[in-house]
């Protein structure tokens, strides 16, 4: 019942906020409660056991086809729940107590709905609700970006809505085909996995369905060349939405690939032509978007692009089809979720104080705002993969996994792609460090923008992200032990 | 009680109210509407609790009391109930376009006529004989001719009336010609008997194909399938809004029950593949036309008109699959789809009626800043739009999802692609309404939005239905299993 509560609490809080409860207090209370419950779920979870734990069926929607609202977690989904709980706590802390336009209640209710949807998607053990909960974010995101965003917010809101709408429909078509080819009688993920093992589909069918899912999920993850919605949307979105979207919702697509596409379509996901397409696309993410990121002169757009770029590594981990690479991908998903959410939070602090994020307007900010500088530095270092922070271990494992696959007789394009992808690390360092230097180091330019230091709340918000990043940087096994059995079970 | 008592009760109710309207000169006509609502609710209760459907072949085999018939009867009753609520809300607008003393402007008849529509629809749901089917269809169509042009002083309404009359008569001609051919080929008027003849059809299939084409043309008009959808936007825009809602839901549901009943013998005949191909082509064309044309609409009623065409496309797509898949049957998906379509469309029209009454316009700009003028109505319309767009966890998703499952099960990938793109267009034009309500500011001195408690209750119930059916569609799934 803990897992059901994780969905219900934000939903109830959203209703309460809409009905007139104090908005910021309610959403904060819901986020804290959810974080506590997540810790309780972590305590109750038995590491190393295979299969869904804390499982419960809330009610049966349809007897035929077998469609239930049921929840449960394995190591993989638990990690995603933890990520959601942390980012939504940060987002709740970062949400304002007054807004310039629109209604504050709408603001907080939307953030809560997005949180509830993400939680629901990660704890559902039914394919239908896994999909359905993710879509809960669609309308709140549209409203939030269009109403409370900055810059060219309306264009950005349309773009993200139509892109993600189309992506989720392609995904839906793929899931429908998957459901039908696995017997067409149940949406239960555990039963579908059994069906996939006992009565495997033809390899050709698998490839086509996998490609459809890859495009559908890929649009949601901003896989090259379906990425162009992401940077603009993130740059224009209000801070909590950018944090939740870049930090959590984008991971939904990756989670879907790991949890649904790979285990249910083992032959399709390893068929050479699909894999080569994926390698091409992920190199687009890393190299092409990496160069585009370097060219950015504004912090919010740079962060938006960098979050697109980093998806490439996670895809590389998935493409490796090796347990090491897959665990690395999950660690990287978690670490990237935290680091990008923190960066978008700090970006929001800078933008709301200075009214701009253009590099030319800043300089030497570390003197004015040392706490902000420290946190931003840590987040940047995490994001570019410096040792001691969680992202490093993730990237390392991804690269190891990709090379291991070759040793195991995988496709020869993979090492080539991996070697090319390694250059992305250099690019990350270039744009990350340059952004840090131009904002926080050196001398303020002409007409400098002033930014006050982080408040206590701000510091607290940053620590929500920094502590796990450091902890996992030194002890990645805390997370890997949780994930490894689940991935091993899913991927044989 | 036999099921046909329900139709009789509705007709008697309508006649009784007409008599009251004719002779009670000083009565407030709204009372007729309230009586009508109470009467329809009572009949609905009778349908749910009191119908004895065990009697085999009542009325000499003219009349079926199968689950489908009862389901569509319920749909007709709920639809009528909501239309009457909307009609009461719409009364001031209606009266402003009619001559005569205040309170003597034909409101009484306007509130009675939906009952006859309802009786026709209910009758149609049960008809298993060509003659009965045609008579029921005409009862509905002729009543619609009257009410569509009811706002006599409004040019739009008159234009709509004329268009609907001419095109409706034309389509009826096609349909009747098709029915005549069907009778000529088989020598039977009973659909079950026709099916027996067609199953063993050994002769030339050309006459069968011709018959099928005629029937399809006639029924495509009724359900609003491309390329016979041209009347829909103009008629929807011109007709009084409650009648538009009735056209959009009731008339479409009726068209589909007739389509399903007439297709059944043809699908069992040697021309099954041609029928499915034709349905597939119609579905694809309807999806494309409805969704693409909806994108550029700036009038909310026209938007809903194209949206109704788009939904007809999804419904036809479910039928075009021709075979069950994933544990759902085409006919069951159509029923589920129409049930959810009723709820979400009625919700949209309910908000439109209120906004129209206050602002004097059906344009999308009239919805600007609705979230500030009335958060309640804005939220209701968001739910309606989300559901129409097919966002998961709202009522509209299941129908769309299962029609996709059916078409994927039939392996018709081209149609599936069209449907995915079409549904993605839906996100744009339905969200346009949300944009107006939440992003834009209202015009200054926008008049207050007034509506009765009855309407408020109806809107709340519809909102609850949209959300509940989104996770628990069971009440509408009685036909779903193959």
């Amino acid at each position: 019942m803990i897992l059901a509560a994780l969905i219900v609490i934000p939903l109830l809080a959203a209703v309460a906020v809409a009905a007139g409860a104090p908005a910021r207090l309610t959403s904060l209370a819901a986020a804290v409660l959810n974080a506590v419950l997540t810790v309780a779920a972590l305590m109750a979870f038995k590491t190393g056991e295979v299969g869904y734990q804390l499982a419960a069926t809330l009610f049966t929607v349809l007897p035929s086809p077998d469609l239930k609202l049921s929840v449960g977690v394995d190591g993989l989904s638990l990690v995603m729940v933890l990520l959601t709980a942390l980012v939504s706590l940060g987002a709740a802390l970062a949400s304002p107590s007054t807004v310039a336009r629109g209604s504050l209640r709408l603001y907080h209710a939307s953030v809560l709905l997005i949180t509830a949807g993400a939680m629901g998607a990660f704890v559902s053990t039914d394919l239908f609700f896994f999909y359905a909960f993710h879509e809960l974010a669609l309308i709140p995101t549209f409203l939030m970006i269009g109403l409370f965003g900055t810059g060219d917010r309306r264009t950005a809101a349309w773009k993200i809505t139509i892109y993600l709408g189309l992506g989720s429909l392609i995904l839906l078509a793929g899931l429908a085909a998957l459901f039908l080819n696995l017997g067409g009688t149940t949406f239960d993920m555990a039963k579908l996995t059994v069906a996939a093992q006992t009565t495997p589909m033809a390899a050709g069918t698998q490839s086509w369905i996998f490609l459809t899912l890859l495009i559908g999920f890929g649009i949601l993850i901003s896989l090259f060349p379906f990425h162009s919605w992401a940077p603009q949307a993130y740059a224009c979105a209000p801070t909590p939405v950018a944090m939740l979207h870049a930090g959590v919702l984008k991971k939904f697509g990756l989670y879907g690939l790991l949890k649904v596409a790979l285990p249910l379509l083992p032959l399709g996901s390893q068929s050479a032509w699909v894999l080569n397409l994926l390698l091409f696309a992920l190199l687009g993410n890393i190299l092409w978007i990496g160069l585009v990121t370097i060219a950015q002169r504004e912090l919010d757009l740079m962060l938006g692009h960098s979050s697109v770029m980093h998806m490439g590594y996670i895809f590389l981990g998935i493409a490796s089809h090796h347990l090491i690479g897959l665990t690395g991908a999950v660690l990287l998903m978690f670490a990237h979720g935290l680091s990008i959410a923190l960066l978008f939070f700090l970006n929001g602090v800078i933008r709301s104080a200075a009214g701009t994020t253009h590099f030319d307007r800043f300089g030497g900010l570390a003197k004015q705002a040392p706490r902000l500088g420290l946190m931003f530095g840590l987040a940047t270092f995490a994001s570019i993969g410096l040792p001691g922070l969680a992202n490093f271990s993730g990237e390392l494992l991804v690269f190891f996994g990709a090379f291991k696959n070759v040793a195991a007789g995988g496709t020869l394009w993979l090492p080539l792609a991996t070697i090319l992808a390694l250059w992305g690390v250099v690019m990350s360092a270039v744009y990350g460090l340059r952004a840090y230097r131009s904002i926080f180091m050196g001398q303020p330019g002409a007409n400098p923008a002033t930014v006050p230091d982080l408040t206590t709340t701000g510091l607290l918000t940053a620590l929500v992200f920094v502590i796990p990043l450091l902890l996992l940087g030194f002890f990645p096994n805390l997370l890997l032990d949780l994930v490894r059995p689940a991935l091993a079970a899913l991927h044989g | 009680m036999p099921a046909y008592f329900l139709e009789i009760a509705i007709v008697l109710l309508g006649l009784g109210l007409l008599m009251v309207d004719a002779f009670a000169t000083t009565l407030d006509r709204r009372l007729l509407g309230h009586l009508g609502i109470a009467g329809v609710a009572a009949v609905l209760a009778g349908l749910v609790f009191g119908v004895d459907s065990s009697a085999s072949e009542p009325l000499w085999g003219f009349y079926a009391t199968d689950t489908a018939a009862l389901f569509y009867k319920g749909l007709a009753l709920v639809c009528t109930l909501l239309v009457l609520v909307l009609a009461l809300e719409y009364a001031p607008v209606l009266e402003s376009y009619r001559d005569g003393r205040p309170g003597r402007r034909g409101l009484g008849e306007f509130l009675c006529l939906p009952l006859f529509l309802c009786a026709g629809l209910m009758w149609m749901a049960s008809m298993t004989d060509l003659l009965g089917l045609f008579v029921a269809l005409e009862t509905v169509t002729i009543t619609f001719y009257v009410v569509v042009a009811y706002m006599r002083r409004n040019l739009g309404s008159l234009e709509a009336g004329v268009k609907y009359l001419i095109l409706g008569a034309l389509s009826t001609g096609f349909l009747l010609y098709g029915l005549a051919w069907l009778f000529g080929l088989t020598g039977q008027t009973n659909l079950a008997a026709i099916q027996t003849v067609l199953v063993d059809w050994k002769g030339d299939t050309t006459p069968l194909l011709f018959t099928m084409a005629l029937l399809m043309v006639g029924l495509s008009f009724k359900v609003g399938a491309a390329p016979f959808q041209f009347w829909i936007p103009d008629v929807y825009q011109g007709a009084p809004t409650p009648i538009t809602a009735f056209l959009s839901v009731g008339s479409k549901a009726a068209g589909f029950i007739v389509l399903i009943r007439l297709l059944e013998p043809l699908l069992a005949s040697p021309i099954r593949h041609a029928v499915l191909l034709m349905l597939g082509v119609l579905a694809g064309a309807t999806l494309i036309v409805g969704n693409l044309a909806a994108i550029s609409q700036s009038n909310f009623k026209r938007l809903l008109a194209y949206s109704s065409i788009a939904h007809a496309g999804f419904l036809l797509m479910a039928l075009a699959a021709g075979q069950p898949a994933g544990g759902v049957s085409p006919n069951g998906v159509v029923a589920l789809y129409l049930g959810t379509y009723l709820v979400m469309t009625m919700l949209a029209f309910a908000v439109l009626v209120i906004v129209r009454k206050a602002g004097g316009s059906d344009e999308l700009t009239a919805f600007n800043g609705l979230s500030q003028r009335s958060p309640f109505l804005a939220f209701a319309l968001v739910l309606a739009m989300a559901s129409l767009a097919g966002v998961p966890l709202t009522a509209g998703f299941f129908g769309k999802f299962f029609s996709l499952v059916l078409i994927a099960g039939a392996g018709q990938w081209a149609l599936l692609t069209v449907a995915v793109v079409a549904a993605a267009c839906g996100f744009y034009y339905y969200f346009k309404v949300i944009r107006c309500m939440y992003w834009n500011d209202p015009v200054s001195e926008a008049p207050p939005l007034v509506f009765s408690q009855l309407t408020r209750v109806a809107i709340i119930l519809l909102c609850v239905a949209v959300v509940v059916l989104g996770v628990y569609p069971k009440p509408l799934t009685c036909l779903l299993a193959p």
Side-chain angles (χ1 to χ4, degrees), chain A residues 2-3 6 33-45 54 78:
Chain A
I2 296 182
L3 299 177
L6 287 174
L33 201 55
N34 254 8
V36 171
L37 282 175
T38 307
V39 173
L42 272 172
M43 301 291 209
F45 189 83
L54 309 171
L78 190 60

Side-chain angles (χ1 to χ4, degrees), chain B residues 114-136:
Chain B
L115 294 171
F116 298 108
L117 281 170
C118 179
L121 291 175
M122 290 170 72
W123 197 241
M124 208 187 305
S126 278
M127 277 300 110
T128 53
D129 190 283
L130 298 184
L131 295 174
L133 202 67
F134 186 74
V135 171

Side-chain angles (χ1 to χ4, degrees), chain A residues 59-62 64-65 67 106 128 131-132 135 138-139 142-143 146-147 154 157-158 161-162 165-166 169 172 180 184 187, chain B residues 326-328 386 392-393 397-398 401-402 404-405 408-409 420 423-424 427-428 431-432 434-435 438-440 471-473 477:
Chain A
F59 65 89
T60 306
V61 177
L62 288 176
S64 164
L67 177 50
L106 181 67
F128 182 88
Y131 173 85
E135 295 294 288
L138 193 71
I139 293 177
F142 177 73
L143 288 178
L147 192 54
R154 295 189 167 196
W158 275 124
T161 304
I162 291 175
L166 182 64
L169 282 164
L172 185 64
L180 287 170
F187 286 95
Chain B
V328 293
L393 306 181
F397 180 66
F398 276 104
F401 175 59
F402 283 135
L404 286 176
V405 166
V420 164
F427 282 117
Y428 176 73
F431 279 36
K432 237 164 67 167
I434 302 180
R435 172 195 65 180
Y438 282 89
W439 292 3
N440 295 349
V471 286
Y472 194 72
T477 55

Side-chain angles (χ1 to χ4, degrees), chain A residues 181-201:
Chain A
N181 276 295
L182 288 173
T185 51
T186 181
F187 286 95
D188 188 300
M189 287 211 240
K191 286 184 195 159
L192 285 175
T193 315
V194 173
Q197 282 157 2
T198 50
T199 50
M201 289 175 248

Side-chain angles (χ1 to χ4, degrees), chain B residues 165-192:
Chain B
L165 176 65
I166 294 174
L167 288 175
L170 186 67
S171 75
T172 304
F174 274 107
L175 185 66
L176 190 57
Y177 195 27
L179 293 179
W181 268 82
L182 203 54
F183 173 65
L185 287 172
T186 58
Q188 300 288 346
T189 57
N190 186 288
L191 285 167

Side-chain angles (χ1 to χ4, degrees), chain B residues 246-266:
Chain B
F246 212 146
L247 269 176
S248 171
V249 180
S251 179
K252 195 176 294 291
F256 271 98
I257 178 82
V258 173
L259 188 63
I260 287 172
R261 290 224 190 268
L262 281 179
L263 281 182
E264 211 164 325
L266 289 174

